[in-house]
Amino acid sequence: MKARVGKTAHHEIQDRLHARIQRGEWPAGAAVPSCQTLASEYGVAVGTVHMAMRSLANDEVVTTVPGRGTFVSTHYAKSFPTSSAATLLRVAIVAGIGGEFALTGPNRGIWATISSIERSCGDLGGTSSLVRREVDGEDWEPFAVSLDRVDWENVEGAIVLAGGMDVSAAGNLVAAVRAARKPVVCLTSGALPGIVPHVFEDNRFGGYVAARHLIDKGHREFSFLEPMGACWADDRALGARDALIEAGITPNALTVVPPRETTPPINEAGRVTFDKMRDASRQIAAELLGSGSIPSAIIAANDAVAMGFIDIAKDCGFNHGIDYAIAGFDNSDYARDAQVTSMEPPWQTMAEEAVRLLSSTVLGKHTSTQVRVRPHLVPRASTSRDARDMSTKLGRLS
């Protein structure tokens, strides 16, 4: 493929798809996902993906068969980076993974992301090493301290996992990245201020999809549970309101609980664990259930919040998926075990994009500094049917 100095949007998507084919994600003869699916994944217009596919077809990388789809050309030879490019992929992975090395529970997403980064580095002929962020009292150590422990002599760059933090208070992260000795790419829960290379999850889109799913199930009134204020939770609530407006439902039909002005900021709560978030949710769930007026549809800021509400609701005799519908975010093992509908973060795609972005930055190639990727809905029994209005049942019990 010809090198480009300045990339349009479709050229950017073309290069990303070509890189995935090079890595063998879609081998020769394999079907490529539809343009609609890829447009949703990358957060671009379908027409942009169509143009990228046409360019790949012109380069004989893919072949389109009318009525069947697009396939990787059978004669296409999987190409790998040159040895000079491969040596530029020695990557330090900086991540805070709690007090235990559990592959399940709250740390599952972090480990999935780390594993995907390691795999992506390996596919490009490089290596990676883990630098574990330490806990200083009740909070994580400053990012500057973590990055200072990177062995910069033996890596060409670093990838920092900062998905749980509130990016509206990310000044320390931005300053640490700018002061780092070599290029750094961040994985975050939202767009970072300033020109810092980063990949982030589109939480507003996630909130939209979760609410749209509940609307399609017939729900028209919603509570959004947010026991601790954070920009990623706010984005999810805004996305839910977007879905209501699109469906012709008044945005006032979604109530944020508790009100934002009374919600403590997550960046003042110290290291926020799954259990801490679950406990905070139990408190607001008890207050909400005690109010006697509750919608049949609940959108929780994340799975920890969903599980906290379910705990209290069960104690009061209410069952999710029967008396009410509930959806969360992060697709944790807890959500899976409890059959809670949840939004699956795009861990693998974020990891792949982070490695691609870091490699481009190290090589001095022109590239965007911000990459947005979208989560996917995992429907389960908690939203499988039209739930009864809990306020009606509460009235019968009172």
Side-chain angles (χ1 to χ4, degrees):
M1 297 178 67
K2 296 180 180 180
R4 289 178 286 273
V5 176
K7 295 181 183 179
T8 62
H10 91 266
H11 283 142
E12 187 79 23
I13 299 301
Q14 177 187 348
D15 287 351
R16 294 188 199 179
L17 295 175
H18 188 253
R20 293 172 74 173
I21 293 171
Q22 284 182 312
R23 292 195 296 267
E25 184 173 337
W26 304 308
V32 178
S34 69
C35 289
Q36 289 81 2
T37 298
L38 292 169
S40 176
E41 179 178 342
Y42 287 113
V44 298
V46 175
T48 300
V49 180
H50 276 302
M51 293 176 67
M53 284 297 186
R54 281 199 296 270
S55 296
L56 289 173
N58 291 337
D59 289 341
E60 298 185 342
V61 176
V62 300
T63 301
T64 299
V65 180
R68 290 188 57 201
T70 301
F71 303 83
V72 178
S73 299
T74 55
H75 66 274
Y76 179 73
K78 180 178 175 182
S79 61
F80 295 91
T82 63
S83 58
S84 61
T87 60
L88 297 174
L89 290 171
R90 297 180 300 175
V91 178
I93 306 170
V94 181
I97 49 180
E100 69 286 335
F101 282 83
L103 299 180
T104 58
N107 278 341
R108 186 175 69 86
I110 298 174
W111 279 112
T113 306
I114 292 172
S115 296
S116 294
I117 294 172
E118 292 172 336
R119 183 168 56 252
S120 295
C121 288
D123 288 345
L124 295 178
T127 60
S128 58
S129 57
L130 178 63
V131 177
R132 184 177 176 184
R133 290 189 70 204
E134 301 293 342
V135 177
D136 181 12
E138 283 295 313
D139 207 350
W140 295 110
E141 67 183 7
F143 285 102
V145 174
S146 300
L147 288 172
D148 191 53
R149 290 193 287 104
V150 171
D151 183 6
W152 293 109
E153 298 299 324
N154 290 303
V155 297
E156 273 67 45
I159 296 175
V160 174
L161 275 62
M165 70 176 299
D166 187 346
V167 295
S168 64
N172 291 333
L173 172 61
V174 171
V177 169
R178 289 178 172 173
R181 292 168 53 187
K182 292 183 179 179
V184 175
V185 171
C186 300
L187 270 68
T188 64
S189 54
L192 283 176
I195 305 175
V196 173
H198 64 287
V199 181
F200 71 96
E201 179 182 350
D202 188 344
N203 284 295
R204 186 161 183 162
F205 175 80
Y208 167 85
V209 172
R212 183 75 250 183
H213 173 69
L214 290 166
I215 291 169
D216 290 344
K217 293 293 182 180
H219 298 283
R220 292 297 180 268
E221 291 189 356
F222 310 83
S223 286
F224 185 91
L225 306 187
E226 184 182 348
M228 296 182 184
C231 64
W232 47 264
D234 292 343
D235 285 345
R236 289 167 180 175
L238 287 172
R241 282 210 166 92
D242 291 341
L244 268 63
I245 294 170
E246 182 185 79
I249 303 171
T250 173
N252 293 333
L254 185 142
T255 303
V256 177
V257 182
R260 279 198 177 87
E261 57 270 18
T262 65
T263 304
I266 197 170
N267 59 314
E268 295 179 3
R271 186 168 64 95
V272 178
T273 64
F274 190 97
D275 289 341
K276 185 181 291 188
M277 201 73 155
R278 187 171 185 169
D279 287 342
S281 177
R282 288 185 179 121
Q283 294 180 26
I284 65 169
E287 296 172 3
L288 185 60
L289 286 164
S291 69
S293 179
I294 308 165
S296 62
I298 306 292
I299 303 174
N302 61 18
D303 288 343
V305 175
M307 295 307 301
F309 183 88
I310 289 170
D311 292 341
I312 300 301
K314 186 176 181 180
D315 289 343
C316 295
F318 302 115
N319 297 305
H320 58 290
I322 298 175
D323 297 307
Y324 65 97
I326 188 166
F329 295 81
D330 300 338
N331 197 27
S332 67
D333 290 338
Y334 295 99
R336 180 180 294 106
D337 291 343
Q339 286 298 294
V340 174
T341 293
S342 188
M343 295 299 298
E344 170 87 12
W347 293 313
Q348 181 173 337
T349 303
M350 290 182 72
E352 292 171 350
E353 290 297 323
V355 172
R356 180 194 65 81
L357 185 54
L358 181 61
S359 178
S360 297
T361 302
V362 169
L363 291 170
K365 293 181 179 179
H366 173 78
T367 185
S368 59
T369 59
Q370 184 185 91
V371 179
R372 178 184 62 181
V373 293
R374 290 177 164 178
H376 305 281
L377 181 74
V378 182
R380 296 194 178 99
S382 71
T383 59
S384 63
R385 66 181 76 178
D386 293 340
R388 296 192 292 270
D389 187 346
M390 278 198 294
S391 61
T392 301
K393 188 172 181 180
L394 277 168
R396 294 199 306 268
L397 295 175
S398 61

